[in-house]
Amino acid sequence: MKAVIAPSETPTAIRTDLAAIFVSLELSRSTWLITSLSPGNGEKMSKHSVVGGDVTALLHRFAQLQEKVRSRTDDEVPVVSIQEAGLDGFWIDRVLKANGIESYVVDPASIATSRRRRQAKTDRLDGEALVRALLGFKRGEPRVCAMVRPPDPGNEDRRRICRERKVLIAERVEHVNRIKGLLFAQGVRDYEPLHQGRRKRLEDLHTGDGRPLPLHLKAQIIRELDRLELLLVQIAAVESERDALLAAQKDTVVETPAPAAMLLDIKGIGPEFAAILCTEGFFRHFDNRRQVASYAGLAPTPWQSGTIDHDQGVSKVGNPRLRTTMIQLSWLWLRHQPQSALSFWFKERVWSNGGRMKKSAIVALARKLLVALWKYVAMGVVIEGAVMKSV
């Protein structure tokens, strides 16, 4: 028999004595659903929708909510808003704060949900869940949800450079692989599309059975080369912008060196790694090393229940670009900084496992290296055994 849960004899009502109007925004391309809980209205949540992107209508609705509360209670109460981090970015949050509204952006994955197999999901239910999460957060309940700290527009714009370069590099790999695949099917194995003489070399190619390249195949490869060369020009332009940004930070005369300049002084860290670390991670303020590792998704995820106690690996809940970059940098760190304390730690750990589990050890090294680099740029703590480029 299934256990029947008896209803509570003394149901706990939602507190509405926080003297504020709590509002959640469910954002979509066509409509914005506004769910609100106002003082003096009991536990009833009102819902109203406006056209997506109509900020004027949104602010007008907030004013109407304040006027209704004023007519019921004769009190002036502020509006506290919450929305999920998503496709709309942070511009709505900036508009609300500019108009004197207390606004929060929440990580949607941090809100507790039902674990039933078939879970109902509608904008109405999501809006109510956001209001309840906002209420718990304002009450001071621990770990009720995780609020996102929106970056300022300058930092948000600067990180576009490295992100665009990553997209262009991925497209370049696709075109190179497609050209090589087309030629490999004809018996050509030694053609390199990225070499300077790629077009002249294409004219001299023959198939594996001695025929000239087929006419339509050659035309397709030429069009692929046109797109590839456009990508090479755009990658060079993006890298020039990145180098100019790093040079501007390095040439700035201040008492404390810029993080980018400090990172570039370490052997094994080039302009791309320095730019990603600064624009994706070190532009933020962290209180401790746990926050640094958690932001990159490199924090451990324990599983404990009774006598069961094991680690599930890193959480991967964080900035994926920063996490990927740190794992790549960790492999290069072993090559360029073999005498550092971190490299010795990695070698000893792998040796103790009989040469196995290098991948899990490199992830642990990435977490340690990220924390060490954060201490270096934030507090000037030099990494033990690290070699600088000047030396």
Side-chain angles (χ1 to χ4, degrees):
M1 296 179 61
K2 294 184 178 180
V4 179
I5 301 177
S8 175
E9 297 180 357
T10 56
T12 57
I14 297 176
R15 287 180 56 192
T16 58
D17 57 348
L18 296 177
I21 302 173
F22 295 94
V23 176
S24 69
L25 304 179
E26 271 294 312
L27 308 175
S28 66
R29 293 183 182 272
S30 58
T31 58
W32 289 353
L33 178 63
I34 307 170
T35 305
S36 60
L37 181 64
S38 304
N41 200 27
E43 300 180 10
K44 183 179 179 181
M45 297 186 187
S46 63
K47 297 173 179 63
H48 186 81
S49 61
V50 298
V51 178
D54 192 348
V55 178
T56 304
L58 177 65
L59 296 176
H60 179 66
R61 177 59 182 170
F62 287 173
Q64 288 180 336
L65 292 173
Q66 290 178 308
E67 180 62 29
K68 289 181 180 179
V69 173
R70 188 185 304 112
S71 63
R72 285 196 302 262
T73 64
D74 294 330
D75 292 331
E76 293 282 348
V77 295
V79 175
V80 183
S81 171
I82 188 173
Q83 61 178 330
E84 293 180 348
L87 183 64
D88 289 275
F90 303 108
W91 72 272
I92 302 175
D93 175 74
R94 298 188 182 111
V95 170
L96 295 178
K97 290 179 179 177
N99 285 272
I101 296 172
E102 185 179 353
S103 176
Y104 295 95
V105 181
V106 66
D107 178 9
S110 67
I111 300 176
T113 58
S114 173
R115 295 192 296 177
R116 293 178 178 176
R117 183 174 181 180
R118 292 187 178 181
Q119 176 186 346
K121 189 204 179 294
T122 62
D123 288 342
R124 178 182 63 84
L125 295 177
D126 291 345
E128 294 177 356
L130 283 177
V131 172
R132 289 193 295 268
L134 180 60
L135 281 168
F137 177 78
K138 293 299 291 182
R139 292 192 195 105
E141 298 179 11
R143 300 182 181 181
V144 64
C145 60
M147 295 299 181
V148 178
R149 288 185 289 180
D152 62 79
N155 287 325
E156 187 178 17
D157 186 58
R158 280 190 289 271
R159 67 187 183 186
R160 293 295 163 197
I161 298 176
C162 295
R163 295 186 178 186
E164 182 185 2
R165 182 183 180 276
K166 186 175 182 180
V167 172
L168 294 175
I169 292 294
E171 293 181 9
R172 186 187 69 181
V173 172
E174 291 179 0
H175 288 294
V176 170
N177 290 343
R178 187 176 296 118
I179 294 173
K180 287 186 175 182
L182 292 172
L183 292 175
F184 191 86
Q186 300 296 325
V188 180
R189 298 168 176 264
D190 58 347
Y191 183 77
E192 291 295 336
L194 294 179
H195 285 181
Q196 292 291 335
R198 47 185 167 267
R199 291 186 180 270
K200 183 178 182 304
R201 171 76 174 124
L202 183 65
E203 298 294 334
D204 302 333
L205 289 179
H206 290 77
T207 61
D209 54 352
R211 296 177 294 107
L213 288 181
L215 178 62
H216 297 298
L217 173 65
K218 187 176 181 180
Q220 181 183 359
I221 294 176
I222 290 176
R223 288 189 289 268
E224 289 285 348
L225 289 177
D226 292 339
R227 291 189 284 269
L228 177 61
E229 290 173 349
L230 175 61
L231 281 173
L232 294 177
V233 173
Q234 292 180 346
I235 290 173
V238 170
E239 290 177 348
S240 298
E241 292 183 18
R242 178 202 63 195
D243 296 340
L245 177 64
L246 295 177
Q249 295 181 2
K250 190 173 182 180
D251 295 339
T252 303
V253 180
V254 292
E255 295 181 359
T256 304
M262 299 177 67
L263 292 172
L264 287 173
D265 289 338
I266 302 177
K267 184 180 179 181
I269 298 181
E272 183 65 17
F273 282 125
I276 293 178
L277 289 174
C278 291
T279 57
E280 296 289 350
F282 294 154
F283 73 95
R284 292 179 175 269
H285 171 76
F286 300 103
D287 294 329
N288 50 59
R289 58 185 178 85
R290 292 183 180 86
Q291 292 183 3
V292 178
S294 178
Y295 177 74
L298 293 172
T301 309
W303 178 275
Q304 296 179 354
S305 178
T307 59
I308 302 175
D309 186 358
H310 69 272
D311 197 341
Q312 304 177 95
V314 296
S315 63
K316 294 187 178 181
V317 180
N319 191 318
R321 300 174 183 86
L322 181 59
R323 180 172 61 256
T324 303
T325 300
M326 286 309 306
I327 294 176
Q328 294 172 350
L329 180 58
S330 298
W331 289 112
L332 293 175
W333 185 267
L334 297 174
R335 179 189 305 175
H336 296 285
Q337 300 283 356
Q339 301 302 317
S340 65
L342 292 174
S343 298
F344 283 126
W345 174 87
F346 175 83
K347 296 174 184 177
E348 182 180 356
R349 179 161 183 172
V350 172
W351 178 83
S352 64
N353 292 325
R356 297 175 292 107
M357 301 178 65
K358 286 186 177 181
K359 290 185 178 180
S360 59
I362 205 67
V363 174
L365 176 62
R367 179 170 62 248
K368 287 179 173 292
L369 180 58
L370 178 61
V371 173
L373 292 175
W374 167 70
K375 290 181 178 179
Y376 171 66
V377 299
M379 295 168 278
V381 180
V382 179
I383 303 175
E384 184 179 356
V387 179
M388 311 305 287
K389 290 180 180 178
S390 59
V391 178

